[in-house]
Amino acid sequence: MGLKEDELEKGVGQDLYVPSTDAPVPGKKIDVGRDDGRGDGDGLLAKLHRFAARARIETRGIERVPEDERTDPSPASAGTMWFSANLVVTALALGALGPQVFQLGFVDSVLTIFFVTILGILPVSFFSTFGPRFGLRQMVLSRYWFGYNAVKIIAVFNIIACIGWSAVNVIVGAQLFNAVNHRVPGYAGIIIIAAATFLVTVFGYKVVHLYERWSWMPSLAIFMIVLGEFAHAGGFRNVPMGSGSVEAASVLSFAASVFGFATGWTSYAADYTVYQPAGQNRWKIFIWTFSGLALPLWFTEMLGAAIMTAAQSTPSYQDGYSHSGIGGLLAAVLFPPLGRFGQFCLVILALSIIANNCPNIYSVSLSLQVLARQSQMVPRFVWTFIATLVYCAIAIPGYSHFETVLENFLLLIAYWLASYEAISLTEHFVFKKGFVGYDLQIYDQPSRLPPGFAASLAFCFGVFGAVMGLAQPWYVGPVGKRIGLPALGGDVGFELAFGFAVVAYLPLRWLEFRSFRR
């Protein structure tokens, strides 16, 4: 049954059946998303829901947002959301990898950043248009492609990525604090950034959007100061573009990092547009999201590539990067000409990590609710708090020991997104024939959703393709070895993962539908 326009206009919400005595009204259907503080139960969950309602914390979790609760009418909020989340020092560090790690020149680094970023953000922009249309979070929407149970595997990958990248990001922020004042220990910087992120995300969708609407302004101002001081220093010397198979391998490997960072938001995309009206123009959402992602990623990554290119002929830049990573590099640019004001600029950039981590920590709570009906009954803000504790517990010991290991692990699991996108897009365009193929009433009914066997098997084929095409310091796949130098290879893991998943999913899904008729 297809999605009817009158169903969209009515915005009928789905109730959640809670048999536990901890429910506000035991054994009855409740809408745990309503912020009215109702509930006469004495259990812990009932008390937590009532507390959240009194504190004006968003209590709606993964239940569908009905039309009468869509209070975010501006498509521009999708743009500012992603603009702030990506105008951060982490993206600048990514751009620096082109010249530093992959030995690319400035021009080939910039061209790779420009075109590969476009490829990476197209799925994010597209899936953002699903939020207003359906009022469902991204992981719940994924049930229409992976089935009710198989999507839990996807949710687990998403949870690992959210918590892992949050840990890496706060380590980077803490290192910036330490670069400004060596007396600030790593754990202190981690706790400062994590606590501030929690205060934003605990209140939910509205406060996250409110923070992201304005937080880009100081970050942009500081990045412009960095650009100005860097240009004024006059240390930039272009490195010529290479050629041949070695150059191709370097471009492909750098492209994998750029693509993984850009497309990493795909599994959250619809989470930040579900409160938009159902009739919102999809092209406006797409364009705002695309612009909000592309502009900061292009700017910060290209700036990072330019500064790192200059580092090859500027000893102070190279020394700063060697001793303190991206924080030391920025300190070498800002501290000599600006002194204490340069230190202030570095503190602002450290705090920009909050904007980058907000989507991670808000969305991880929703992915946790997808895992089981019991986890769905736990209020969203409780999962936000638990996730914050977990990534702090990872980041504090990891500050001095295994940041690189953690980052390599996260780059590895990022390849799952290629399979996820391949299966989701194929199901949407080929089998569901676009938006008309969705029935809003079955999003929480396992017996009416796809069984998920085809998606699970195709996902495994995608993982196999990624392994074949990997080219990382710790492993080079058999296909990756054939590009460039065998010891280094060229990374085509994302491309093979996407291709293998599509080729496998088409016949498997056809057979599955023939067998189960759903």
Side-chain angles (χ1 to χ4, degrees):
M1 183 170 64
L3 177 66
K4 298 181 176 64
E5 292 296 331
D6 59 340
E7 290 173 345
L8 279 174
E9 295 303 320
K10 290 176 183 176
V12 179
Q14 296 289 327
D15 290 332
L16 170 66
Y17 182 76
V18 184
S20 168
T21 56
D22 283 346
V25 184
K28 294 187 177 181
K29 287 185 176 181
I30 61 167
D31 185 351
V32 298
R34 293 199 176 276
D35 296 331
D36 53 13
R38 293 179 298 177
D40 53 8
D42 293 325
L44 177 60
L45 290 180
K47 292 177 181 178
L48 288 172
H49 281 295
R50 290 198 295 271
F51 166 77
R54 287 194 298 269
R56 302 184 68 82
I57 292 172
E58 181 192 18
T59 54
R60 180 171 295 282
I62 60 172
E63 303 79 34
R64 180 173 178 262
V65 181
E67 179 65 18
D68 59 1
E69 293 184 27
R70 309 283 186 90
T71 56
D72 182 14
S74 173
S77 64
T80 55
M81 169 75 205
W82 297 118
F83 192 92
S84 293
N86 290 280
L87 193 69
V88 292
V89 68
T90 314
L92 185 140
L94 176 66
L97 294 179
Q100 178 67 16
V101 175
F102 300 106
Q103 305 302 310
L104 297 176
F106 177 67
V107 173
D108 36 350
S109 294
V110 165
L111 290 174
T112 303
I113 290 167
F114 182 83
F115 289 108
V116 176
T117 295
I118 293 175
L119 290 176
I121 65 178
L122 281 175
V124 189
S125 305
F126 178 66
F127 286 123
S128 292
T129 67
F130 283 57
R133 181 81 173 185
F134 301 116
L136 294 172
R137 313 289 186 160
Q138 188 67 35
M139 284 294 104
V140 180
L141 279 168
S142 301
R143 291 173 177 172
Y144 288 97
W145 310 316
F146 287 83
Y148 189 89
N149 292 309
V151 79
K152 296 174 184 178
I153 301 171
I154 303 302
V156 169
F157 277 102
N158 203 38
I159 291 164
I160 294 171
C162 288
I163 291 176
W165 280 117
S166 295
V168 170
N169 290 339
V170 292
I171 290 173
V172 172
Q175 289 172 343
L176 291 179
F177 281 132
N178 186 257
V180 173
N181 186 343
H182 296 300
R183 291 177 295 178
V184 178
Y187 71 83
I190 288 169
I191 292 172
I192 289 170
I193 297 171
T197 304
F198 174 73
L199 288 176
V200 175
T201 55
V202 69
F203 289 99
Y205 181 99
K206 291 182 181 179
V207 176
V208 169
H209 271 282
L210 179 64
Y211 180 81
E212 304 281 12
R213 186 178 305 152
W214 306 108
S215 64
W216 61 270
M217 293 183 177
S219 297
L220 180 61
I222 301 305
F223 275 120
M224 294 304 294
I225 291 172
V226 172
L227 174 61
E229 291 299 332
F230 168 66
H232 185 262
F236 180 80
R237 298 291 184 275
N238 187 32
V239 176
M241 183 186 300
S243 60
S245 61
V246 174
E247 169 72 4
S250 297
V251 168
L252 286 169
S253 296
F254 181 49
S257 299
V258 173
F259 181 84
F261 190 85
T263 208
W265 304 112
T266 301
S267 54
Y268 317 164
D271 295 354
Y272 301 96
T273 54
V274 291
Y275 284 89
Q276 296 268 338
Q280 185 65 271
N281 186 294
R282 291 202 299 273
W283 276 108
K284 289 183 178 179
I285 293 290
F286 182 93
I287 292 170
W288 273 106
T289 303
F290 184 92
S291 301
L293 288 161
L295 295 177
L297 288 173
W298 283 337
F299 174 65
T300 52
E301 290 177 21
M302 290 178 186
L303 178 59
I307 296 175
M308 187 52 70
T309 300
Q312 298 183 34
S313 57
T314 308
S316 61
Y317 288 6
Q318 191 63 55
D319 290 343
Y321 187 81
S322 299
H323 286 107
S324 303
I326 200 66
L329 179 63
L330 288 170
V333 175
L334 294 174
F335 288 3
L338 299 179
R340 289 194 175 275
F341 181 70
Q343 295 177 342
F344 170 76
C345 291
L346 216 57
V347 170
I348 297 299
L349 290 181
L351 294 175
S352 74
I353 297 295
I354 298 169
N356 190 244
N357 267 1
C358 279
N360 292 329
I361 298 307
Y362 178 75
S363 289
V364 72
S365 62
L366 303 172
S367 293
L368 283 161
Q369 288 191 335
V370 168
L371 294 180
R373 291 192 181 275
Q374 292 80 4
S375 65
Q376 184 180 351
M377 290 187 287
V378 178
R380 182 200 55 79
F381 78 92
V382 174
W383 287 126
T384 300
F385 179 68
I386 293 172
T388 299
L389 294 180
V390 171
Y391 82 77
C392 284
I394 295 171
I396 290 173
Y399 180 80
S400 303
H401 296 92
F402 58 87
E403 178 197 357
T404 302
V405 174
L406 180 61
E407 190 165 354
N408 286 337
F409 170 71
L410 291 167
L411 287 172
L412 171 64
I413 67 168
Y415 290 91
W416 74 272
L417 286 165
S419 297
Y420 172 80
E421 292 166 358
I423 293 166
S424 303
L425 293 171
T426 303
E427 176 68 24
H428 177 78
F429 288 109
V430 177
F431 295 99
K432 284 194 165 45
K433 311 296 183 184
F435 288 98
V436 296
Y438 296 82
D439 179 3
L440 273 177
Q441 305 304 317
I442 69 170
Y443 80 88
D444 60 351
Q445 300 178 28
S447 62
R448 300 179 64 187
L449 289 164
F453 300 122
S456 299
L457 286 172
F459 187 84
C460 292
F461 275 100
V463 171
F464 175 74
V467 172
M468 295 289 287
L470 275 176
Q472 296 291 335
W474 31 267
Y475 176 77
V476 180
V479 176
K481 286 180 180 178
R482 295 183 174 275
I483 306 171
L485 298 175
L488 300 175
D491 198 316
V492 288
F494 279 107
E495 295 90 333
L496 291 184
F498 189 95
F500 276 47
V502 169
V503 171
Y505 187 69
L506 285 168
L508 289 171
R509 180 65 175 127
W510 181 82
L511 288 172
E512 182 182 68
F513 186 79
R514 286 287 301 270
S515 301
F516 295 93
R517 309 305 300 176
R518 55 186 172 96

